[in-house]
Amino acid sequence: VQLVESGGGPVQDGGSLRLSCVASGDTSRRKYMGWFRQAPGKEREGVAFTFDWTQYTDSVKGRSTISKDDAKNTLYLQMNSLRPEDTSMYYCAATSRIPTDALVASNYDYWGRGTQVTVS
């Protein structure tokens, strides 16, 4: 399984970005997918998850939307009303097993290299 993120970059406070994650490889191994972020000196934090349901961390609820286009093998994260505290490296993650906690990084097997989001 390979995951390649894109769509990050610099953005003004209050702006929007749409992150994309193109997935390839065995679809059964990437059945459950999510977005995580990690700022320097901080732990990796779960942001959003999707399968038959969606789940968001409290800090992005109402401002972000996770979606998936199976025909394009692509996972998206639309982020609106961005704040400086959203500045982070954003990672796409996948696993073949239903995660016991969808926003915990240790429950995922496959990771992309990340895309940087900087809000100022």
Side-chain angles (χ1 to χ4, degrees), residues 3 5 36 44 91-94 104-106 108-113:
L3 305 171
E5 303 95 335
F36 288 75
R44 193 163 293 192
Y91 298 91
C92 175
V104 171
S106 60
Y108 291 81
D109 302 310
Y110 304 101
W111 294 86
R113 293 191 172 186

Side-chain angles (χ1 to χ4, degrees), residues 26-100:
D26 189 343
T27 54
S28 68
R29 293 179 182 269
R30 49 182 169 91
K31 194 172 180 181
Y32 305 93
M33 298 187 72
W35 286 98
F36 288 75
R37 64 186 179 186
Q38 188 168 19
K42 294 189 176 181
E43 291 189 357
R44 193 163 293 192
E45 172 191 27
V47 177
F49 166 84
T50 184
F51 182 58
D52 286 342
W53 70 96
T54 58
Q55 186 175 341
Y56 299 91
T57 191
D58 286 346
S59 63
V60 307
K61 278 181 185 175
R63 301 190 294 122
S64 297
T65 303
I66 188 171
S67 61
K68 195 163 66 161
D69 185 334
D70 289 333
K72 295 182 178 181
N73 291 314
T74 302
L75 181 73
Y76 300 100
L77 182 67
Q78 176 69 44
M79 299 191 296
N80 302 320
S81 302
L82 283 162
R83 305 165 181 167
E85 53 264 40
D86 294 316
T87 294
S88 195
M89 185 71 81
Y90 283 73
Y91 298 91
C92 175
T95 180
S96 61
R97 300 163 285 111
I98 185 167
T100 52

